[in-house]
Amino acid sequence: MIYPELLQGKFVTLRSISLEDAEFSYNLRKDPRFVSIMGQAAATVEDQKRFIEWQIKEPGDYYFVVLNKLGKRIGLIGVYSIEDTSGETGREIIDGAPYETMEAEILLCDFCINELHLKTKIGVIYKNNKKQIELQKKLGLEPVEEIVRSGIPAYKYKVDFVTLQKNYSRARKMIEKLALKDL
């Protein structure tokens, strides 16, 4: 689905993906640094365009491009599989600074609470994505089960958004301090 507004932070902005982002998203998902931690990537740019066309029409599926302060595309993030008051977050690849990644996650969390009125976040992280697993631990989250997705062993996380928002409080403060330094 297309969300018509921008989600603005201090360092990043989230905007709904468009067909013009197909090559960017295809290249990012094919980047060797991210291939092992992502689900199956599209085989071609045209396949990626078809996925975006499908995603734009799919109810309960929001896919955002992450832009840095200069307006450069640096990543992707989304929420999907929304049922009642629960949604899965993911499709996250951000090739930016750690504070940009964290702010994108916070903006998505706020969107899920304030715009979609979700209460529960589901997340799936492949076991080989050590960086993201460590981040979840720092946020006080532990996996609720082990699963296999796209043939790859993964952990499934489930947390209420209110708890997650509280866990982000340190990160919010850090982002505020960095913004005062005008990075």
Side-chain angles (χ1 to χ4, degrees), residues 115-169:
E115 299 300 322
L116 302 179
H117 308 290
L118 299 181
K119 301 210 182 308
T120 307
K121 169 190 169 171
I122 306 293
V124 174
I125 302 171
Y126 293 124
K127 287 184 175 183
N128 62 349
N129 191 346
K130 305 294 185 204
K131 184 177 174 184
Q132 193 58 240
I133 291 168
E134 282 303 310
L135 175 61
Q136 299 308 310
K137 283 183 183 177
K138 286 179 183 176
L139 291 171
L141 306 179
E142 294 293 333
V144 294
E145 71 179 291
E146 294 186 27
I147 64 170
V148 175
R149 181 171 282 179
S150 302
I152 303 169
Y155 294 115
K156 183 175 184 177
Y157 292 81
K158 187 175 183 180
V159 64
D160 67 275
F161 276 108
V162 173
T163 298
L164 188 60
Q165 206 170 36
K166 286 178 188 172
N167 292 347
Y168 281 147
S169 64

Short mmCIF file of all heavy atoms in Angstrom, two decimals, residues 115-169:
data_model
loop_
_atom_site.label_atom_id
_atom_site.label_comp_id
_atom_site.label_asym_id
_atom_site.label_seq_id
_atom_site.Cartn_x
_atom_site.Cartn_y
_atom_site.Cartn_z
N GLU A 115 -0.35 5.34 13.32
CA GLU A 115 -1.15 5.34 12.09
C GLU A 115 -1.91 4.05 11.87
O GLU A 115 -3.06 4.06 11.44
CB GLU A 115 -0.26 5.63 10.88
CG GLU A 115 0.45 6.98 10.93
CD GLU A 115 -0.49 8.16 11.00
OE1 GLU A 115 -1.56 8.12 10.34
OE2 GLU A 115 -0.19 9.12 11.73
N LEU A 116 -1.26 2.92 12.17
CA LEU A 116 -1.90 1.63 11.92
C LEU A 116 -2.58 1.07 13.16
O LEU A 116 -3.33 0.11 13.08
CB LEU A 116 -0.87 0.62 11.40
CG LEU A 116 -0.13 1.02 10.12
CD1 LEU A 116 0.87 -0.05 9.72
CD2 LEU A 116 -1.11 1.31 8.99
N HIS A 117 -2.28 1.65 14.32
CA HIS A 117 -2.86 1.23 15.60
C HIS A 117 -2.57 -0.24 15.92
O HIS A 117 -3.42 -0.94 16.46
CB HIS A 117 -4.36 1.53 15.63
CG HIS A 117 -4.66 2.95 15.26
ND1 HIS A 117 -4.34 4.02 16.07
CD2 HIS A 117 -5.20 3.49 14.14
CE1 HIS A 117 -4.69 5.14 15.49
NE2 HIS A 117 -5.20 4.86 14.30
N LEU A 118 -1.36 -0.65 15.57
CA LEU A 118 -0.94 -2.02 15.88
C LEU A 118 -0.48 -2.11 17.33
O LEU A 118 0.00 -1.14 17.90
CB LEU A 118 0.19 -2.45 14.94
CG LEU A 118 -0.15 -2.48 13.46
CD1 LEU A 118 1.06 -2.95 12.65
CD2 LEU A 118 -1.35 -3.36 13.17
N LYS A 119 -0.63 -3.28 17.87
CA LYS A 119 -0.22 -3.51 19.26
C LYS A 119 0.97 -4.47 19.35
O LYS A 119 1.76 -4.39 20.28
CB LYS A 119 -1.39 -4.05 20.06
CG LYS A 119 -2.58 -3.09 20.06
CD LYS A 119 -3.38 -3.19 21.30
CE LYS A 119 -4.59 -2.27 21.30
NZ LYS A 119 -4.36 -0.90 21.01
N THR A 120 1.09 -5.38 18.37
CA THR A 120 2.12 -6.40 18.43
C THR A 120 2.98 -6.41 17.17
O THR A 120 2.46 -6.33 16.06
CB THR A 120 1.48 -7.80 18.60
OG1 THR A 120 0.60 -7.78 19.71
CG2 THR A 120 2.54 -8.87 18.82
N LYS A 121 4.29 -6.51 17.39
CA LYS A 121 5.25 -6.59 16.29
C LYS A 121 5.76 -8.03 16.20
O LYS A 121 6.16 -8.62 17.20
CB LYS A 121 6.43 -5.66 16.55
CG LYS A 121 7.59 -5.88 15.60
CD LYS A 121 8.84 -5.13 16.02
CE LYS A 121 10.00 -5.61 15.20
NZ LYS A 121 11.20 -4.83 15.37
N ILE A 122 5.75 -8.54 14.99
CA ILE A 122 6.38 -9.82 14.69
C ILE A 122 7.64 -9.50 13.88
O ILE A 122 7.61 -8.61 13.03
CB ILE A 122 5.47 -10.74 13.83
CG1 ILE A 122 4.10 -10.93 14.48
CG2 ILE A 122 6.16 -12.06 13.50
CD1 ILE A 122 4.10 -11.69 15.76
N GLY A 123 8.71 -10.19 14.14
CA GLY A 123 9.93 -10.01 13.37
C GLY A 123 10.60 -11.36 13.16
O GLY A 123 10.56 -12.22 14.03
N VAL A 124 11.15 -11.54 11.99
CA VAL A 124 11.90 -12.76 11.67
C VAL A 124 13.29 -12.34 11.26
O VAL A 124 13.46 -11.50 10.36
CB VAL A 124 11.22 -13.59 10.56
CG1 VAL A 124 12.08 -14.77 10.16
CG2 VAL A 124 9.83 -14.05 11.02
N ILE A 125 14.29 -12.92 11.93
CA ILE A 125 15.68 -12.59 11.63
C ILE A 125 16.42 -13.89 11.37
O ILE A 125 16.38 -14.82 12.19
CB ILE A 125 16.34 -11.84 12.81
CG1 ILE A 125 15.55 -10.56 13.12
CG2 ILE A 125 17.80 -11.53 12.50
CD1 ILE A 125 15.98 -9.88 14.39
N TYR A 126 17.09 -13.93 10.22
CA TYR A 126 17.88 -15.12 9.91
C TYR A 126 18.99 -15.28 10.93
O TYR A 126 19.59 -14.29 11.38
CB TYR A 126 18.46 -15.04 8.50
CG TYR A 126 17.39 -15.08 7.43
CD1 TYR A 126 17.29 -14.07 6.49
CD2 TYR A 126 16.47 -16.11 7.38
CE1 TYR A 126 16.30 -14.10 5.51
CE2 TYR A 126 15.48 -16.15 6.42
CZ TYR A 126 15.40 -15.14 5.49
OH TYR A 126 14.42 -15.18 4.54
N LYS A 127 19.27 -16.52 11.31
CA LYS A 127 20.26 -16.80 12.35
C LYS A 127 21.65 -16.27 12.01
O LYS A 127 22.43 -15.97 12.90
CB LYS A 127 20.33 -18.30 12.63
CG LYS A 127 19.15 -18.83 13.39
CD LYS A 127 19.35 -20.30 13.72
CE LYS A 127 18.23 -20.82 14.57
NZ LYS A 127 18.47 -22.22 14.96
N ASN A 128 21.95 -16.13 10.72
CA ASN A 128 23.28 -15.64 10.35
C ASN A 128 23.38 -14.11 10.40
O ASN A 128 24.44 -13.56 10.19
CB ASN A 128 23.67 -16.14 8.95
CG ASN A 128 22.73 -15.64 7.86
OD1 ASN A 128 21.68 -15.08 8.14
ND2 ASN A 128 23.13 -15.87 6.63
N ASN A 129 22.29 -13.43 10.74
CA ASN A 129 22.29 -11.97 10.83
C ASN A 129 22.64 -11.57 12.27
O ASN A 129 21.82 -11.07 13.03
CB ASN A 129 20.93 -11.40 10.41
CG ASN A 129 20.95 -9.90 10.25
OD1 ASN A 129 21.88 -9.23 10.67
ND2 ASN A 129 19.91 -9.38 9.63
N LYS A 130 23.89 -11.80 12.62
CA LYS A 130 24.37 -11.59 13.99
C LYS A 130 24.17 -10.14 14.46
O LYS A 130 23.83 -9.89 15.61
CB LYS A 130 25.85 -11.96 14.11
CG LYS A 130 26.18 -13.37 13.65
CD LYS A 130 25.56 -14.41 14.54
CE LYS A 130 26.03 -15.80 14.11
NZ LYS A 130 25.14 -16.83 14.48
N LYS A 131 24.38 -9.19 13.57
CA LYS A 131 24.25 -7.78 13.92
C LYS A 131 22.83 -7.46 14.39
O LYS A 131 22.62 -6.81 15.42
CB LYS A 131 24.63 -6.93 12.71
CG LYS A 131 24.63 -5.44 12.94
CD LYS A 131 25.08 -4.73 11.68
CE LYS A 131 24.96 -3.24 11.80
NZ LYS A 131 25.31 -2.54 10.57
N GLN A 132 21.84 -7.93 13.65
CA GLN A 132 20.44 -7.66 14.01
C GLN A 132 20.02 -8.43 15.27
O GLN A 132 19.28 -7.91 16.10
CB GLN A 132 19.52 -7.99 12.84
CG GLN A 132 18.12 -7.46 12.97
CD GLN A 132 18.02 -5.97 13.13
OE1 GLN A 132 17.49 -5.52 14.14
NE2 GLN A 132 18.49 -5.20 12.17
N ILE A 133 20.52 -9.63 15.43
CA ILE A 133 20.22 -10.42 16.63
C ILE A 133 20.78 -9.71 17.86
O ILE A 133 20.11 -9.62 18.90
CB ILE A 133 20.76 -11.86 16.50
CG1 ILE A 133 19.95 -12.62 15.43
CG2 ILE A 133 20.73 -12.58 17.84
CD1 ILE A 133 20.55 -13.93 15.01
N GLU A 134 22.00 -9.17 17.75
CA GLU A 134 22.59 -8.42 18.87
C GLU A 134 21.78 -7.17 19.19
O GLU A 134 21.58 -6.83 20.36
CB GLU A 134 24.05 -8.05 18.57
CG GLU A 134 25.02 -9.19 18.75
CD GLU A 134 24.96 -9.79 20.15
OE1 GLU A 134 25.02 -9.04 21.14
OE2 GLU A 134 24.84 -11.03 20.24
N LEU A 135 21.30 -6.50 18.16
CA LEU A 135 20.47 -5.31 18.37
C LEU A 135 19.20 -5.68 19.13
O LEU A 135 18.81 -4.99 20.08
CB LEU A 135 20.12 -4.64 17.05
CG LEU A 135 19.16 -3.45 17.16
CD1 LEU A 135 19.74 -2.33 18.01
CD2 LEU A 135 18.81 -2.94 15.77
N GLN A 136 18.58 -6.78 18.76
CA GLN A 136 17.37 -7.22 19.44
C GLN A 136 17.65 -7.50 20.93
O GLN A 136 16.86 -7.14 21.80
CB GLN A 136 16.75 -8.45 18.77
CG GLN A 136 16.33 -8.23 17.34
CD GLN A 136 15.44 -7.04 17.13
OE1 GLN A 136 14.44 -6.87 17.81
NE2 GLN A 136 15.79 -6.19 16.17
N LYS A 137 18.80 -8.12 21.19
CA LYS A 137 19.17 -8.39 22.59
C LYS A 137 19.35 -7.09 23.37
O LYS A 137 18.92 -6.98 24.51
CB LYS A 137 20.46 -9.22 22.66
CG LYS A 137 20.26 -10.68 22.35
CD LYS A 137 21.55 -11.44 22.50
CE LYS A 137 21.35 -12.89 22.11
NZ LYS A 137 22.60 -13.65 22.16
N LYS A 138 20.00 -6.10 22.74
CA LYS A 138 20.18 -4.80 23.40
C LYS A 138 18.85 -4.14 23.71
O LYS A 138 18.73 -3.37 24.66
CB LYS A 138 21.05 -3.87 22.54
CG LYS A 138 22.50 -4.24 22.53
CD LYS A 138 23.30 -3.31 21.65
CE LYS A 138 24.75 -3.74 21.60
NZ LYS A 138 25.54 -2.91 20.68
N LEU A 139 17.85 -4.42 22.88
CA LEU A 139 16.52 -3.87 23.10
C LEU A 139 15.72 -4.71 24.09
O LEU A 139 14.56 -4.41 24.37
CB LEU A 139 15.76 -3.77 21.77
CG LEU A 139 16.27 -2.73 20.79
CD1 LEU A 139 15.59 -2.88 19.43
CD2 LEU A 139 16.07 -1.33 21.34
N GLY A 140 16.35 -5.77 24.60
CA GLY A 140 15.69 -6.62 25.58
C GLY A 140 14.76 -7.66 24.99
O GLY A 140 13.91 -8.21 25.68
N LEU A 141 14.92 -7.95 23.71
CA LEU A 141 14.04 -8.90 23.04
C LEU A 141 14.74 -10.24 22.83
O LEU A 141 15.91 -10.29 22.46
CB LEU A 141 13.58 -8.35 21.70
CG LEU A 141 12.93 -6.97 21.74
CD1 LEU A 141 12.56 -6.52 20.34
CD2 LEU A 141 11.72 -6.96 22.65
N GLU A 142 14.00 -11.28 23.06
CA GLU A 142 14.50 -12.64 22.84
C GLU A 142 13.56 -13.34 21.86
O GLU A 142 12.36 -13.07 21.84
CB GLU A 142 14.54 -13.42 24.16
CG GLU A 142 15.55 -12.87 25.16
CD GLU A 142 17.00 -13.04 24.73
OE1 GLU A 142 17.32 -13.97 23.96
OE2 GLU A 142 17.82 -12.21 25.16
N PRO A 143 14.09 -14.27 21.06
CA PRO A 143 13.23 -14.98 20.11
C PRO A 143 12.19 -15.83 20.85
O PRO A 143 12.46 -16.34 21.94
CB PRO A 143 14.19 -15.85 19.31
CG PRO A 143 15.49 -15.82 20.01
CD PRO A 143 15.49 -14.68 20.97
N VAL A 144 11.01 -15.96 20.22
CA VAL A 144 9.96 -16.80 20.80
C VAL A 144 9.95 -18.19 20.19
O VAL A 144 9.39 -19.11 20.77
CB VAL A 144 8.57 -16.14 20.68
CG1 VAL A 144 8.49 -14.89 21.53
CG2 VAL A 144 8.19 -15.86 19.25
N GLU A 145 10.55 -18.32 19.01
CA GLU A 145 10.66 -19.65 18.40
C GLU A 145 11.68 -19.64 17.27
O GLU A 145 12.05 -18.59 16.75
CB GLU A 145 9.31 -20.15 17.90
CG GLU A 145 8.75 -19.45 16.68
CD GLU A 145 7.41 -20.02 16.23
OE1 GLU A 145 7.36 -21.17 15.75
OE2 GLU A 145 6.41 -19.29 16.36
N GLU A 146 12.14 -20.83 16.93
CA GLU A 146 13.02 -21.01 15.78
C GLU A 146 12.17 -21.50 14.63
O GLU A 146 11.33 -22.38 14.80
CB GLU A 146 14.13 -22.01 16.10
CG GLU A 146 15.08 -21.51 17.17
CD GLU A 146 16.26 -22.43 17.41
OE1 GLU A 146 16.66 -23.16 16.48
OE2 GLU A 146 16.78 -22.41 18.53
N ILE A 147 12.39 -20.91 13.45
CA ILE A 147 11.63 -21.28 12.26
C ILE A 147 12.58 -21.40 11.07
O ILE A 147 13.76 -21.07 11.18
CB ILE A 147 10.51 -20.27 11.94
CG1 ILE A 147 11.11 -18.89 11.59
CG2 ILE A 147 9.53 -20.14 13.11
CD1 ILE A 147 10.09 -17.89 11.04
N VAL A 148 12.05 -21.82 9.96
CA VAL A 148 12.78 -21.82 8.69
C VAL A 148 11.96 -20.99 7.72
O VAL A 148 10.78 -21.23 7.53
CB VAL A 148 12.98 -23.25 8.15
CG1 VAL A 148 13.63 -23.22 6.78
CG2 VAL A 148 13.80 -24.08 9.13
N ARG A 149 12.60 -19.95 7.15
CA ARG A 149 11.93 -19.10 6.18
C ARG A 149 12.79 -19.06 4.92
O ARG A 149 13.99 -18.82 5.00
CB ARG A 149 11.72 -17.68 6.71
CG ARG A 149 10.99 -16.82 5.69
CD ARG A 149 10.56 -15.50 6.19
NE ARG A 149 9.35 -15.60 6.99
CZ ARG A 149 8.79 -14.55 7.55
NH1 ARG A 149 9.32 -13.36 7.42
NH2 ARG A 149 7.68 -14.69 8.24
N SER A 150 12.16 -19.28 3.80
CA SER A 150 12.87 -19.32 2.51
C SER A 150 14.02 -20.33 2.57
O SER A 150 15.07 -20.11 1.98
CB SER A 150 13.40 -17.93 2.13
OG SER A 150 12.36 -17.00 2.06
N GLY A 151 13.83 -21.40 3.34
CA GLY A 151 14.84 -22.44 3.45
C GLY A 151 16.01 -22.08 4.36
O GLY A 151 16.99 -22.82 4.42
N ILE A 152 15.90 -20.97 5.08
CA ILE A 152 17.00 -20.49 5.92
C ILE A 152 16.55 -20.50 7.39
O ILE A 152 15.48 -19.97 7.72
CB ILE A 152 17.41 -19.05 5.51
CG1 ILE A 152 17.81 -19.02 4.03
CG2 ILE A 152 18.56 -18.55 6.39
CD1 ILE A 152 17.99 -17.63 3.47
N PRO A 153 17.36 -21.08 8.29
CA PRO A 153 17.02 -21.07 9.71
C PRO A 153 16.93 -19.63 10.25
O PRO A 153 17.77 -18.78 9.93
CB PRO A 153 18.17 -21.81 10.38
CG PRO A 153 18.82 -22.59 9.29
CD PRO A 153 18.61 -21.80 8.03
N ALA A 154 15.90 -19.38 11.04
CA ALA A 154 15.66 -18.02 11.53
C ALA A 154 15.05 -18.06 12.93
O ALA A 154 14.59 -19.09 13.40
CB ALA A 154 14.72 -17.30 10.57
N TYR A 155 15.07 -16.89 13.56
CA TYR A 155 14.39 -16.69 14.83
C TYR A 155 13.17 -15.82 14.58
O TYR A 155 13.21 -14.86 13.81
CB TYR A 155 15.28 -15.96 15.84
CG TYR A 155 16.49 -16.73 16.28
CD1 TYR A 155 17.77 -16.28 15.97
CD2 TYR A 155 16.36 -17.90 17.04
CE1 TYR A 155 18.89 -16.97 16.39
CE2 TYR A 155 17.48 -18.60 17.46
CZ TYR A 155 18.74 -18.14 17.14
OH TYR A 155 19.85 -18.82 17.55
N LYS A 156 12.09 -16.14 15.29
CA LYS A 156 10.88 -15.32 15.23
C LYS A 156 10.78 -14.57 16.56
O LYS A 156 10.93 -15.15 17.63
CB LYS A 156 9.65 -16.19 15.02
CG LYS A 156 8.37 -15.41 14.87
CD LYS A 156 7.22 -16.36 14.56
CE LYS A 156 5.94 -15.60 14.30
NZ LYS A 156 4.85 -16.52 13.93
N TYR A 157 10.54 -13.27 16.45
CA TYR A 157 10.38 -12.41 17.61
C TYR A 157 8.95 -11.91 17.65
O TYR A 157 8.32 -11.71 16.62
CB TYR A 157 11.31 -11.18 17.52
CG TYR A 157 12.77 -11.53 17.62
CD1 TYR A 157 13.48 -12.01 16.53
CD2 TYR A 157 13.46 -11.37 18.82
CE1 TYR A 157 14.82 -12.33 16.63
CE2 TYR A 157 14.79 -11.68 18.93
CZ TYR A 157 15.48 -12.16 17.83
OH TYR A 157 16.81 -12.47 17.93
N LYS A 158 8.45 -11.69 18.85
CA LYS A 158 7.13 -11.11 19.03
C LYS A 158 7.19 -10.21 20.25
O LYS A 158 7.66 -10.63 21.31
CB LYS A 158 6.08 -12.21 19.23
CG LYS A 158 4.66 -11.73 19.25
CD LYS A 158 3.71 -12.91 19.31
CE LYS A 158 2.28 -12.42 19.26
NZ LYS A 158 1.34 -13.54 19.31
N VAL A 159 6.76 -8.96 20.09
CA VAL A 159 6.82 -8.00 21.19
C VAL A 159 5.69 -6.99 21.00
O VAL A 159 5.30 -6.70 19.87
CB VAL A 159 8.19 -7.29 21.25
CG1 VAL A 159 8.45 -6.47 20.01
CG2 VAL A 159 8.35 -6.46 22.50
N ASP A 160 5.18 -6.47 22.12
CA ASP A 160 4.17 -5.44 21.97
C ASP A 160 4.88 -4.12 21.67
O ASP A 160 5.99 -3.86 22.14
CB ASP A 160 3.26 -5.34 23.21
CG ASP A 160 3.99 -4.86 24.43
OD1 ASP A 160 4.60 -5.70 25.12
OD2 ASP A 160 3.94 -3.65 24.69
N PHE A 161 4.24 -3.28 20.86
CA PHE A 161 4.85 -2.04 20.41
C PHE A 161 5.11 -1.06 21.55
O PHE A 161 6.05 -0.28 21.50
CB PHE A 161 4.02 -1.37 19.31
CG PHE A 161 4.31 -1.91 17.94
CD1 PHE A 161 3.39 -2.71 17.29
CD2 PHE A 161 5.49 -1.61 17.29
CE1 PHE A 161 3.65 -3.20 16.01
CE2 PHE A 161 5.77 -2.09 16.02
CZ PHE A 161 4.85 -2.89 15.38
N VAL A 162 4.29 -1.10 22.59
CA VAL A 162 4.50 -0.19 23.72
C VAL A 162 5.84 -0.51 24.40
O VAL A 162 6.63 0.38 24.70
CB VAL A 162 3.33 -0.27 24.72
CG1 VAL A 162 3.61 0.54 25.98
CG2 VAL A 162 2.05 0.23 24.05
N THR A 163 6.10 -1.79 24.61
CA THR A 163 7.39 -2.20 25.18
C THR A 163 8.53 -1.80 24.26
O THR A 163 9.54 -1.27 24.71
CB THR A 163 7.41 -3.73 25.43
OG1 THR A 163 6.39 -4.06 26.36
CG2 THR A 163 8.77 -4.19 25.93
N LEU A 164 8.37 -2.03 22.98
CA LEU A 164 9.40 -1.68 22.02
C LEU A 164 9.67 -0.18 22.03
O LEU A 164 10.82 0.25 22.03
CB LEU A 164 9.00 -2.14 20.62
CG LEU A 164 10.06 -2.03 19.54
CD1 LEU A 164 11.28 -2.85 19.89
CD2 LEU A 164 9.49 -2.48 18.21
N GLN A 165 8.62 0.61 22.10
CA GLN A 165 8.78 2.05 22.13
C GLN A 165 9.55 2.47 23.38
O GLN A 165 10.43 3.33 23.31
CB GLN A 165 7.41 2.73 22.08
CG GLN A 165 7.45 4.11 21.50
CD GLN A 165 6.07 4.66 21.24
OE1 GLN A 165 5.15 4.42 22.00
NE2 GLN A 165 5.94 5.41 20.16
N LYS A 166 9.27 1.86 24.51
CA LYS A 166 10.02 2.14 25.74
C LYS A 166 11.49 1.76 25.57
O LYS A 166 12.38 2.47 26.01
CB LYS A 166 9.42 1.39 26.93
CG LYS A 166 8.12 1.96 27.42
CD LYS A 166 7.56 1.12 28.56
CE LYS A 166 6.17 1.56 28.93
NZ LYS A 166 5.54 0.65 29.89
N ASN A 167 11.72 0.61 24.92
CA ASN A 167 13.09 0.15 24.72
C ASN A 167 13.87 1.07 23.79
O ASN A 167 15.10 1.11 23.85
CB ASN A 167 13.10 -1.28 24.17
CG ASN A 167 12.61 -2.30 25.17
OD1 ASN A 167 12.46 -2.00 26.36
ND2 ASN A 167 12.34 -3.49 24.71
N TYR A 168 13.18 1.81 22.95
CA TYR A 168 13.82 2.75 22.05
C TYR A 168 14.17 4.08 22.72
O TYR A 168 14.77 4.95 22.10
CB TYR A 168 12.93 3.04 20.84
CG TYR A 168 12.92 1.98 19.76
CD1 TYR A 168 11.77 1.74 19.02
CD2 TYR A 168 14.05 1.24 19.46
CE1 TYR A 168 11.74 0.79 18.02
CE2 TYR A 168 14.03 0.28 18.47
CZ TYR A 168 12.87 0.05 17.75
OH TYR A 168 12.86 -0.88 16.76
N SER A 169 13.79 4.27 23.98
CA SER A 169 13.96 5.58 24.62
C SER A 169 15.42 6.04 24.64
O SER A 169 15.71 7.20 24.37
CB SER A 169 13.36 5.60 26.02
OG SER A 169 14.05 4.70 26.86
#
